[in-house]
Amino acid sequence: GVRLTRMLAEAPYTRSSVATLFTGASWRDHGVWLSQHALAPEFTTLAEILQEAGYFTLGITDNANVARSAGSDQGFDEWVQTWSDVRRKVPPGMERWWPELPEILWRERLGRGLPADRPVFAYVHLMPPHEPYLPGPEHDVFGPEGYQGPITGITPDIQAFDRGEHARGSDDHERLVALYDGGLRRGDAILGRVLEAWRATGRARPTLTVFLSDHGEAFGEHDKYGHNSTPHDEMLHVPFVMHPKNLVPAALRESPDELRSLGDALPLILHSLHVPLPRGTTWPAHLLAVLEDPSRGREEIFVRCSQPIYARRSADALTVLQLWGRQQHFALGEDPQALSDLRWEDAEAAQGRVVHKCA
């Protein structure tokens, strides 16, 4: 496939990030910032565009922030939420978490057959490697060997690290990372079976597969764990793969390292599928530009964390504005991990650009 190497979420948490993914709109426009916010019906989603173009649209979600209550189901002919729409006996050992359930529902739905005369748009939202980090015995293979400590990968463990109760570099830290990696391995196995089940349907139409995440995860970088709290790359830099190459525009194949936002996913997918935007709807200028030329990257991305903390991110700089708190400025070309704050050395860039754009 084609891997876009510099794809960033515009918010380090699911509810806002998926609203951007589905609409191509920034958080500044769609207004989904907090857990009680929902995408307004006047926004047109990718599913609605494809539905209007004749696609059968199916969504299966295992995340309560990708839900009817968040407006995520707009444009889906069928929408299934594992926590509210499914009643079945939980297998032994899965009482805390059953991340294979979306795969099972997907297989069952494919077994009932999909419309043969229509193309299909399917969105399957898996949870691993999201917290809790519970790889299960099959995928808990990363150690550390002989670990006997208290870390099990549940959310309170992550919160304890975030409060500074465990040291970075300790056996407990190593165990937490190992559990995350095991969860990633578990998610990869689930994804593989999801794709195998689709291929087994034998549908003659070519299939464009897009694999992505809606945020990243920190393990002590900038003194934070988990996600939701900083605008740094560990919480924003996400995988984005489109497969196979021959369905991906040549201009995109030749520009995989441009700075991009998850807001670009909608035009990139539509361009690849040769589906036009519906008429009579207003779209962000950058979305229209990417739809016309998929090689276009972004000059800058504006980020919102839930605190709130705002940031301006360009290819070579990150400027952070925390309301009622400090400002920071990082030159990413020389300092890719954003460790050296240049706020007072480049005050005009730090204050003028971010305050003007985000305050």
Side-chain angles (χ1 to χ4, degrees):
V2 176
R3 181 172 68 92
L4 304 186
T5 64
R6 303 184 77 184
M7 179 67 74
L8 297 179
E10 295 187 20
Y13 52 102
T14 297
R15 201 174 191 93
S16 184
S17 190
V18 170
T20 294
L21 172 69
F22 280 3
T23 64
S26 164
W27 53 267
R28 294 174 294 167
D29 299 317
H30 62 59
V32 181
W33 302 347
L34 305 176
S35 59
Q36 64 266 33
H37 292 166
L39 185 66
E42 56 262 30
F43 285 91
T44 303
T45 67
L46 175 61
E48 288 176 306
I49 296 170
L50 295 176
Q51 189 181 54
E52 183 175 320
Y55 281 70
F56 173 77
T57 54
L58 168 65
I60 299 175
T61 174
D62 202 26
N63 189 315
N65 284 301
V66 186
R68 295 185 190 95
S69 61
S72 310
D73 62 329
Q74 292 179 204
F76 283 93
D77 295 310
E78 295 182 20
W79 179 262
V80 182
Q81 303 180 164
T82 59
W83 64 94
S84 63
D85 300 345
V86 181
R87 298 289 184 267
R88 63 179 63 204
K89 185 177 180 180
V90 178
M94 302 291 185
E95 291 83 4
R96 289 194 293 177
W97 200 30
W98 191 8
E100 285 78 13
L101 184 55
E103 171 211 338
I104 294 169
L105 299 174
W106 169 250
R107 288 178 175 274
E108 292 175 352
R109 183 60 188 87
L110 294 182
R112 296 195 298 272
L114 297 174
D117 59 342
R118 299 169 63 187
V120 173
F121 169 61
Y123 177 83
V124 182
H125 193 112
L126 306 175
M127 283 294 283
H130 196 286
E131 64 179 72
Y133 310 149
L134 301 177
E138 180 182 358
H139 302 288
D140 188 4
V141 297
F142 296 105
E145 185 174 353
Y147 177 79
Q148 298 294 323
I151 302 305
T152 62
I154 60 176
T155 298
D157 288 344
I158 301 163
Q159 294 170 341
F161 274 94
D162 208 37
R163 293 191 299 267
E165 296 176 12
H166 302 278
R168 188 178 182 187
S170 64
D171 284 350
D172 290 341
H173 179 273
E174 185 179 349
R175 179 57 178 160
L176 188 74
V177 174
L179 290 168
Y180 175 87
D181 290 344
L184 179 60
R185 190 175 190 266
R186 186 175 190 174
D188 184 68
I190 296 170
L191 175 64
R193 294 192 295 268
V194 165
L195 296 177
E196 288 171 2
W198 176 257
R199 287 192 289 265
T201 64
R203 293 176 67 93
R205 295 178 184 271
T207 299
L208 174 68
T209 301
V210 183
F211 167 76
L212 59 96
S213 177
D214 53 281
H215 61 74
E217 201 82 348
F219 288 90
E221 301 92 342
H222 301 97
D223 299 320
K224 291 293 182 179
Y225 285 77
H227 58 280
N228 201 9
S229 56
T230 81
H232 292 285
D233 276 16
E234 56 268 16
M235 294 193 188
L236 296 177
H237 187 197
V238 295
F240 194 95
V241 179
M242 302 176 74
H243 176 275
K245 285 186 178 181
N246 66 346
L247 294 183
V248 179
L252 184 58
R253 298 199 301 265
E254 295 165 3
S255 59
D257 300 327
E258 292 289 327
L259 182 67
R260 292 185 168 92
S261 152
L262 283 180
D264 298 332
L266 184 148
L268 291 176
I269 292 170
L270 293 182
H271 188 103
S272 301
L273 298 177
H274 306 287
V275 173
L277 291 173
R279 296 180 180 180
T281 303
T282 301
W283 298 95
H286 190 81
L287 186 153
L288 298 174
V290 172
L291 188 63
E292 181 180 351
D293 179 9
S295 69
R296 290 181 64 108
R298 297 218 178 200
E299 292 185 5
E300 53 193 12
I301 296 170
F302 294 98
V303 178
R304 186 189 195 279
C305 305
S306 62
Q307 272 56 24
I309 298 173
Y310 301 102
R312 170 195 173 265
R313 174 68 152 83
S314 66
D316 58 3
L318 171 68
T319 306
V320 181
L321 171 65
Q322 183 171 352
L323 297 187
W324 312 114
R326 62 179 181 173
Q327 298 176 33
Q328 298 171 298
H329 182 70
F330 303 93
L332 300 179
E334 300 80 33
D335 178 25
Q337 296 183 356
L339 300 177
S340 299
D341 181 10
L342 305 179
R343 163 71 176 86
W344 297 110
E345 297 181 33
D346 195 358
E348 182 177 355
Q351 183 173 357
R353 301 194 72 172
V354 169
V355 172
H356 173 70
K357 293 285 188 178
C358 292

PDB file of all heavy atoms in Angstrom, residues 220-248:
ATOM      1  N   GLY A 220       5.364   8.684  28.813  1.00  0.00           N
ATOM      2  CA  GLY A 220       6.318   9.474  29.578  1.00  0.00           C
ATOM      3  C   GLY A 220       6.927  10.632  28.814  1.00  0.00           C
ATOM      4  O   GLY A 220       7.593  11.477  29.420  1.00  0.00           O
ATOM      5  N   GLU A 221       6.738  10.687  27.491  1.00  0.00           N
ATOM      6  CA  GLU A 221       7.210  11.839  26.747  1.00  0.00           C
ATOM      7  C   GLU A 221       6.486  13.083  27.257  1.00  0.00           C
ATOM      8  O   GLU A 221       5.283  13.069  27.478  1.00  0.00           O
ATOM      9  CB  GLU A 221       6.955  11.665  25.251  1.00  0.00           C
ATOM     10  CG  GLU A 221       7.614  10.443  24.636  1.00  0.00           C
ATOM     11  CD  GLU A 221       6.711   9.211  24.634  1.00  0.00           C
ATOM     12  OE1 GLU A 221       5.714   9.202  25.413  1.00  0.00           O
ATOM     13  OE2 GLU A 221       6.991   8.273  23.878  1.00  0.00           O
ATOM     14  N   HIS A 222       7.235  14.143  27.464  1.00  0.00           N
ATOM     15  CA  HIS A 222       6.683  15.391  28.001  1.00  0.00           C
ATOM     16  C   HIS A 222       5.915  15.151  29.305  1.00  0.00           C
ATOM     17  O   HIS A 222       4.925  15.823  29.606  1.00  0.00           O
ATOM     18  CB  HIS A 222       5.811  16.079  26.955  1.00  0.00           C
ATOM     19  CG  HIS A 222       6.580  16.407  25.700  1.00  0.00           C
ATOM     20  ND1 HIS A 222       6.562  15.594  24.579  1.00  0.00           N
ATOM     21  CD2 HIS A 222       7.420  17.431  25.415  1.00  0.00           C
ATOM     22  CE1 HIS A 222       7.342  16.112  23.647  1.00  0.00           C
ATOM     23  NE2 HIS A 222       7.888  17.216  24.125  1.00  0.00           N
ATOM     24  N   ASP A 223       6.393  14.118  30.053  1.00  0.00           N
ATOM     25  CA  ASP A 223       5.875  13.810  31.390  1.00  0.00           C
ATOM     26  C   ASP A 223       4.398  13.428  31.382  1.00  0.00           C
ATOM     27  O   ASP A 223       3.682  13.628  32.380  1.00  0.00           O
ATOM     28  CB  ASP A 223       6.091  14.990  32.347  1.00  0.00           C
ATOM     29  CG  ASP A 223       7.557  15.324  32.535  1.00  0.00           C
ATOM     30  OD1 ASP A 223       8.359  14.374  32.619  1.00  0.00           O
ATOM     31  OD2 ASP A 223       7.902  16.524  32.570  1.00  0.00           O
ATOM     32  N   LYS A 224       3.914  12.862  30.295  1.00  0.00           N
ATOM     33  CA  LYS A 224       2.518  12.470  30.194  1.00  0.00           C
ATOM     34  C   LYS A 224       2.398  11.023  29.711  1.00  0.00           C
ATOM     35  O   LYS A 224       3.256  10.513  28.989  1.00  0.00           O
ATOM     36  CB  LYS A 224       1.757  13.391  29.236  1.00  0.00           C
ATOM     37  CG  LYS A 224       1.570  14.802  29.752  1.00  0.00           C
ATOM     38  CD  LYS A 224       0.648  14.823  30.976  1.00  0.00           C
ATOM     39  CE  LYS A 224       0.413  16.234  31.472  1.00  0.00           C
ATOM     40  NZ  LYS A 224      -0.501  16.242  32.644  1.00  0.00           N
ATOM     41  N   TYR A 225       1.289  10.399  30.126  1.00  0.00           N
ATOM     42  CA  TYR A 225       0.949   9.045  29.672  1.00  0.00           C
ATOM     43  C   TYR A 225      -0.465   9.071  29.088  1.00  0.00           C
ATOM     44  O   TYR A 225      -1.275   9.946  29.397  1.00  0.00           O
ATOM     45  CB  TYR A 225       1.023   8.046  30.825  1.00  0.00           C
ATOM     46  CG  TYR A 225       2.433   7.684  31.218  1.00  0.00           C
ATOM     47  CD1 TYR A 225       3.205   8.554  31.980  1.00  0.00           C
ATOM     48  CD2 TYR A 225       3.006   6.478  30.803  1.00  0.00           C
ATOM     49  CE1 TYR A 225       4.505   8.230  32.330  1.00  0.00           C
ATOM     50  CE2 TYR A 225       4.306   6.146  31.154  1.00  0.00           C
ATOM     51  CZ  TYR A 225       5.054   7.023  31.914  1.00  0.00           C
ATOM     52  OH  TYR A 225       6.343   6.706  32.256  1.00  0.00           O
ATOM     53  N   GLY A 226      -0.735   8.077  28.254  1.00  0.00           N
ATOM     54  CA  GLY A 226      -2.052   7.997  27.643  1.00  0.00           C
ATOM     55  C   GLY A 226      -2.199   9.022  26.536  1.00  0.00           C
ATOM     56  O   GLY A 226      -1.271   9.290  25.773  1.00  0.00           O
ATOM     57  N   HIS A 227      -3.380   9.632  26.444  1.00  0.00           N
ATOM     58  CA  HIS A 227      -3.639  10.618  25.400  1.00  0.00           C
ATOM     59  C   HIS A 227      -4.541  11.714  25.966  1.00  0.00           C
ATOM     60  O   HIS A 227      -4.830  11.730  27.151  1.00  0.00           O
ATOM     61  CB  HIS A 227      -4.291   9.956  24.182  1.00  0.00           C
ATOM     62  CG  HIS A 227      -5.577   9.252  24.484  1.00  0.00           C
ATOM     63  ND1 HIS A 227      -5.617   7.985  25.036  1.00  0.00           N
ATOM     64  CD2 HIS A 227      -6.875   9.627  24.328  1.00  0.00           C
ATOM     65  CE1 HIS A 227      -6.873   7.611  25.190  1.00  0.00           C
ATOM     66  NE2 HIS A 227      -7.662   8.600  24.781  1.00  0.00           N
ATOM     67  N   ASN A 228      -4.883  12.676  25.118  1.00  0.00           N
ATOM     68  CA  ASN A 228      -5.863  13.705  25.457  1.00  0.00           C
ATOM     69  C   ASN A 228      -5.267  14.979  26.048  1.00  0.00           C
ATOM     70  O   ASN A 228      -5.976  15.964  26.199  1.00  0.00           O
ATOM     71  CB  ASN A 228      -6.918  13.157  26.440  1.00  0.00           C
ATOM     72  CG  ASN A 228      -8.202  13.955  26.447  1.00  0.00           C
ATOM     73  OD1 ASN A 228      -8.406  14.818  25.613  1.00  0.00           O
ATOM     74  ND2 ASN A 228      -9.070  13.659  27.405  1.00  0.00           N
ATOM     75  N   SER A 229      -3.979  14.996  26.394  1.00  0.00           N
ATOM     76  CA  SER A 229      -3.493  16.097  27.217  1.00  0.00           C
ATOM     77  C   SER A 229      -2.421  16.974  26.603  1.00  0.00           C
ATOM     78  O   SER A 229      -2.153  18.063  27.132  1.00  0.00           O
ATOM     79  CB  SER A 229      -2.979  15.548  28.555  1.00  0.00           C
ATOM     80  OG  SER A 229      -1.978  14.572  28.345  1.00  0.00           O
ATOM     81  N   THR A 230      -1.749  16.561  25.526  1.00  0.00           N
ATOM     82  CA  THR A 230      -0.712  17.416  24.943  1.00  0.00           C
ATOM     83  C   THR A 230      -0.838  17.435  23.422  1.00  0.00           C
ATOM     84  O   THR A 230      -1.382  16.505  22.824  1.00  0.00           O
ATOM     85  CB  THR A 230       0.715  16.946  25.295  1.00  0.00           C
ATOM     86  OG1 THR A 230       1.102  15.870  24.435  1.00  0.00           O
ATOM     87  CG2 THR A 230       0.825  16.518  26.751  1.00  0.00           C
ATOM     88  N   PRO A 231      -0.309  18.480  22.783  1.00  0.00           N
ATOM     89  CA  PRO A 231      -0.324  18.554  21.330  1.00  0.00           C
ATOM     90  C   PRO A 231       0.971  18.066  20.695  1.00  0.00           C
ATOM     91  O   PRO A 231       1.333  18.501  19.600  1.00  0.00           O
ATOM     92  CB  PRO A 231      -0.516  20.064  21.087  1.00  0.00           C
ATOM     93  CG  PRO A 231       0.250  20.692  22.202  1.00  0.00           C
ATOM     94  CD  PRO A 231       0.106  19.776  23.386  1.00  0.00           C
ATOM     95  N   HIS A 232       1.670  17.172  21.376  1.00  0.00           N
ATOM     96  CA  HIS A 232       2.935  16.664  20.855  1.00  0.00           C
ATOM     97  C   HIS A 232       2.704  15.426  19.990  1.00  0.00           C
ATOM     98  O   HIS A 232       1.658  14.777  20.050  1.00  0.00           O
ATOM     99  CB  HIS A 232       3.882  16.355  22.007  1.00  0.00           C
ATOM    100  CG  HIS A 232       4.345  17.589  22.731  1.00  0.00           C
ATOM    101  ND1 HIS A 232       5.286  18.445  22.206  1.00  0.00           N
ATOM    102  CD2 HIS A 232       3.988  18.117  23.931  1.00  0.00           C
ATOM    103  CE1 HIS A 232       5.497  19.446  23.044  1.00  0.00           C
ATOM    104  NE2 HIS A 232       4.723  19.264  24.109  1.00  0.00           N
ATOM    105  N   ASP A 233       3.730  15.103  19.207  1.00  0.00           N
ATOM    106  CA  ASP A 233       3.564  14.065  18.184  1.00  0.00           C
ATOM    107  C   ASP A 233       3.189  12.703  18.754  1.00  0.00           C
ATOM    108  O   ASP A 233       2.497  11.930  18.100  1.00  0.00           O
ATOM    109  CB  ASP A 233       4.852  13.930  17.360  1.00  0.00           C
ATOM    110  CG  ASP A 233       4.925  14.953  16.237  1.00  0.00           C
ATOM    111  OD1 ASP A 233       4.156  15.938  16.289  1.00  0.00           O
ATOM    112  OD2 ASP A 233       5.755  14.783  15.323  1.00  0.00           O
ATOM    113  N   GLU A 234       3.652  12.387  19.979  1.00  0.00           N
ATOM    114  CA  GLU A 234       3.321  11.066  20.517  1.00  0.00           C
ATOM    115  C   GLU A 234       1.810  10.879  20.671  1.00  0.00           C
ATOM    116  O   GLU A 234       1.317   9.755  20.633  1.00  0.00           O
ATOM    117  CB  GLU A 234       4.028  10.830  21.849  1.00  0.00           C
ATOM    118  CG  GLU A 234       3.760  11.864  22.913  1.00  0.00           C
ATOM    119  CD  GLU A 234       4.763  12.999  22.931  1.00  0.00           C
ATOM    120  OE1 GLU A 234       5.505  13.156  21.918  1.00  0.00           O
ATOM    121  OE2 GLU A 234       4.818  13.722  23.945  1.00  0.00           O
ATOM    122  N   MET A 235       1.073  11.972  20.819  1.00  0.00           N
ATOM    123  CA  MET A 235      -0.380  11.870  20.935  1.00  0.00           C
ATOM    124  C   MET A 235      -1.119  12.201  19.639  1.00  0.00           C
ATOM    125  O   MET A 235      -2.327  11.959  19.546  1.00  0.00           O
ATOM    126  CB  MET A 235      -0.887  12.790  22.047  1.00  0.00           C
ATOM    127  CG  MET A 235      -0.434  12.388  23.428  1.00  0.00           C
ATOM    128  SD  MET A 235      -1.355  13.248  24.722  1.00  0.00           S
ATOM    129  CE  MET A 235      -0.417  12.752  26.176  1.00  0.00           C
ATOM    130  N   LEU A 236      -0.397  12.734  18.644  1.00  0.00           N
ATOM    131  CA  LEU A 236      -1.059  13.187  17.420  1.00  0.00           C
ATOM    132  C   LEU A 236      -0.643  12.438  16.162  1.00  0.00           C
ATOM    133  O   LEU A 236      -1.425  12.320  15.214  1.00  0.00           O
ATOM    134  CB  LEU A 236      -0.790  14.682  17.205  1.00  0.00           C
ATOM    135  CG  LEU A 236      -1.338  15.639  18.241  1.00  0.00           C
ATOM    136  CD1 LEU A 236      -0.906  17.062  17.914  1.00  0.00           C
ATOM    137  CD2 LEU A 236      -2.856  15.566  18.315  1.00  0.00           C
ATOM    138  N   HIS A 237       0.595  11.971  16.103  1.00  0.00           N
ATOM    139  CA  HIS A 237       1.095  11.317  14.889  1.00  0.00           C
ATOM    140  C   HIS A 237       0.451   9.934  14.759  1.00  0.00           C
ATOM    141  O   HIS A 237       0.585   9.099  15.650  1.00  0.00           O
ATOM    142  CB  HIS A 237       2.612  11.191  14.969  1.00  0.00           C
ATOM    143  CG  HIS A 237       3.243  10.698  13.707  1.00  0.00           C
ATOM    144  ND1 HIS A 237       4.524  10.196  13.663  1.00  0.00           N
ATOM    145  CD2 HIS A 237       2.770  10.610  12.439  1.00  0.00           C
ATOM    146  CE1 HIS A 237       4.821   9.838  12.435  1.00  0.00           C
ATOM    147  NE2 HIS A 237       3.761  10.080  11.672  1.00  0.00           N
ATOM    148  N   VAL A 238      -0.265   9.708  13.671  1.00  0.00           N
ATOM    149  CA  VAL A 238      -1.041   8.473  13.532  1.00  0.00           C
ATOM    150  C   VAL A 238      -0.663   7.741  12.248  1.00  0.00           C
ATOM    151  O   VAL A 238      -0.207   8.348  11.276  1.00  0.00           O
ATOM    152  CB  VAL A 238      -2.562   8.767  13.521  1.00  0.00           C
ATOM    153  CG1 VAL A 238      -3.001   9.326  14.859  1.00  0.00           C
ATOM    154  CG2 VAL A 238      -2.938   9.712  12.386  1.00  0.00           C
ATOM    155  N   PRO A 239      -0.860   6.424  12.233  1.00  0.00           N
ATOM    156  CA  PRO A 239      -0.651   5.672  10.987  1.00  0.00           C
ATOM    157  C   PRO A 239      -1.765   5.967   9.996  1.00  0.00           C
ATOM    158  O   PRO A 239      -2.910   6.228  10.381  1.00  0.00           O
ATOM    159  CB  PRO A 239      -0.696   4.211  11.459  1.00  0.00           C
ATOM    160  CG  PRO A 239      -1.571   4.245  12.680  1.00  0.00           C
ATOM    161  CD  PRO A 239      -1.294   5.564  13.344  1.00  0.00           C
ATOM    162  N   PHE A 240      -1.415   5.916   8.726  1.00  0.00           N
ATOM    163  CA  PHE A 240      -2.416   6.091   7.672  1.00  0.00           C
ATOM    164  C   PHE A 240      -1.907   5.358   6.440  1.00  0.00           C
ATOM    165  O   PHE A 240      -0.917   5.750   5.832  1.00  0.00           O
ATOM    166  CB  PHE A 240      -2.631   7.571   7.366  1.00  0.00           C
ATOM    167  CG  PHE A 240      -3.868   7.847   6.553  1.00  0.00           C
ATOM    168  CD1 PHE A 240      -5.058   8.204   7.176  1.00  0.00           C
ATOM    169  CD2 PHE A 240      -3.854   7.748   5.166  1.00  0.00           C
ATOM    170  CE1 PHE A 240      -6.207   8.468   6.436  1.00  0.00           C
ATOM    171  CE2 PHE A 240      -4.984   8.000   4.419  1.00  0.00           C
ATOM    172  CZ  PHE A 240      -6.173   8.362   5.051  1.00  0.00           C
ATOM    173  N   VAL A 241      -2.581   4.269   6.103  1.00  0.00           N
ATOM    174  CA  VAL A 241      -2.177   3.422   4.980  1.00  0.00           C
ATOM    175  C   VAL A 241      -3.361   3.221   4.051  1.00  0.00           C
ATOM    176  O   VAL A 241      -4.475   2.931   4.517  1.00  0.00           O
ATOM    177  CB  VAL A 241      -1.657   2.047   5.471  1.00  0.00           C
ATOM    178  CG1 VAL A 241      -1.270   1.164   4.287  1.00  0.00           C
ATOM    179  CG2 VAL A 241      -0.479   2.224   6.415  1.00  0.00           C
ATOM    180  N   MET A 242      -3.116   3.378   2.741  1.00  0.00           N
ATOM    181  CA  MET A 242      -4.130   3.106   1.729  1.00  0.00           C
ATOM    182  C   MET A 242      -3.629   1.963   0.851  1.00  0.00           C
ATOM    183  O   MET A 242      -2.469   1.951   0.420  1.00  0.00           O
ATOM    184  CB  MET A 242      -4.403   4.349   0.885  1.00  0.00           C
ATOM    185  CG  MET A 242      -4.852   5.544   1.712  1.00  0.00           C
ATOM    186  SD  MET A 242      -5.073   7.067   0.740  1.00  0.00           S
ATOM    187  CE  MET A 242      -6.615   6.691  -0.120  1.00  0.00           C
ATOM    188  N   HIS A 243      -4.502   0.997   0.593  1.00  0.00           N
ATOM    189  CA  HIS A 243      -4.107  -0.215  -0.117  1.00  0.00           C
ATOM    190  C   HIS A 243      -5.221  -0.627  -1.083  1.00  0.00           C
ATOM    191  O   HIS A 243      -6.396  -0.514  -0.740  1.00  0.00           O
ATOM    192  CB  HIS A 243      -3.844  -1.333   0.899  1.00  0.00           C
ATOM    193  CG  HIS A 243      -3.518  -2.660   0.289  1.00  0.00           C
ATOM    194  ND1 HIS A 243      -4.488  -3.560  -0.115  1.00  0.00           N
ATOM    195  CD2 HIS A 243      -2.332  -3.236   0.000  1.00  0.00           C
ATOM    196  CE1 HIS A 243      -3.912  -4.641  -0.617  1.00  0.00           C
ATOM    197  NE2 HIS A 243      -2.613  -4.466  -0.558  1.00  0.00           N
ATOM    198  N   PRO A 244      -4.892  -1.080  -2.278  1.00  0.00           N
ATOM    199  CA  PRO A 244      -3.574  -1.267  -2.893  1.00  0.00           C
ATOM    200  C   PRO A 244      -3.104  -0.015  -3.610  1.00  0.00           C
ATOM    201  O   PRO A 244      -3.869   0.929  -3.818  1.00  0.00           O
ATOM    202  CB  PRO A 244      -3.828  -2.399  -3.889  1.00  0.00           C
ATOM    203  CG  PRO A 244      -5.230  -2.155  -4.350  1.00  0.00           C
ATOM    204  CD  PRO A 244      -5.970  -1.636  -3.147  1.00  0.00           C
ATOM    205  N   LYS A 245      -1.849  -0.031  -4.021  1.00  0.00           N
ATOM    206  CA  LYS A 245      -1.259   1.155  -4.629  1.00  0.00           C
ATOM    207  C   LYS A 245      -1.978   1.580  -5.890  1.00  0.00           C
ATOM    208  O   LYS A 245      -2.086   2.770  -6.178  1.00  0.00           O
ATOM    209  CB  LYS A 245       0.220   0.900  -4.946  1.00  0.00           C
ATOM    210  CG  LYS A 245       1.125   0.927  -3.734  1.00  0.00           C
ATOM    211  CD  LYS A 245       2.578   0.806  -4.146  1.00  0.00           C
ATOM    212  CE  LYS A 245       3.495   0.891  -2.924  1.00  0.00           C
ATOM    213  NZ  LYS A 245       4.921   0.800  -3.312  1.00  0.00           N
ATOM    214  N   ASN A 246      -2.456   0.605  -6.667  1.00  0.00           N
ATOM    215  CA  ASN A 246      -3.035   0.983  -7.954  1.00  0.00           C
ATOM    216  C   ASN A 246      -4.375   1.697  -7.823  1.00  0.00           C
ATOM    217  O   ASN A 246      -4.888   2.224  -8.810  1.00  0.00           O
ATOM    218  CB  ASN A 246      -3.165  -0.236  -8.868  1.00  0.00           C
ATOM    219  CG  ASN A 246      -4.155  -1.262  -8.348  1.00  0.00           C
ATOM    220  OD1 ASN A 246      -4.554  -1.203  -7.194  1.00  0.00           O
ATOM    221  ND2 ASN A 246      -4.541  -2.200  -9.181  1.00  0.00           N
ATOM    222  N   LEU A 247      -4.964   1.747  -6.624  1.00  0.00           N
ATOM    223  CA  LEU A 247      -6.182   2.521  -6.401  1.00  0.00           C
ATOM    224  C   LEU A 247      -5.890   3.885  -5.775  1.00  0.00           C
ATOM    225  O   LEU A 247      -6.803   4.668  -5.560  1.00  0.00           O
ATOM    226  CB  LEU A 247      -7.153   1.756  -5.494  1.00  0.00           C
ATOM    227  CG  LEU A 247      -7.734   0.454  -6.067  1.00  0.00           C
ATOM    228  CD1 LEU A 247      -8.726  -0.150  -5.082  1.00  0.00           C
ATOM    229  CD2 LEU A 247      -8.397   0.690  -7.426  1.00  0.00           C
ATOM    230  N   VAL A 248      -4.612   4.132  -5.488  1.00  0.00           N
ATOM    231  CA  VAL A 248      -4.207   5.388  -4.856  1.00  0.00           C
ATOM    232  C   VAL A 248      -3.689   6.328  -5.942  1.00  0.00           C
ATOM    233  O   VAL A 248      -2.898   5.920  -6.793  1.00  0.00           O
ATOM    234  CB  VAL A 248      -3.117   5.135  -3.799  1.00  0.00           C
ATOM    235  CG1 VAL A 248      -2.664   6.441  -3.162  1.00  0.00           C
ATOM    236  CG2 VAL A 248      -3.635   4.167  -2.736  1.00  0.00           C
TER     237      VAL A 248
END
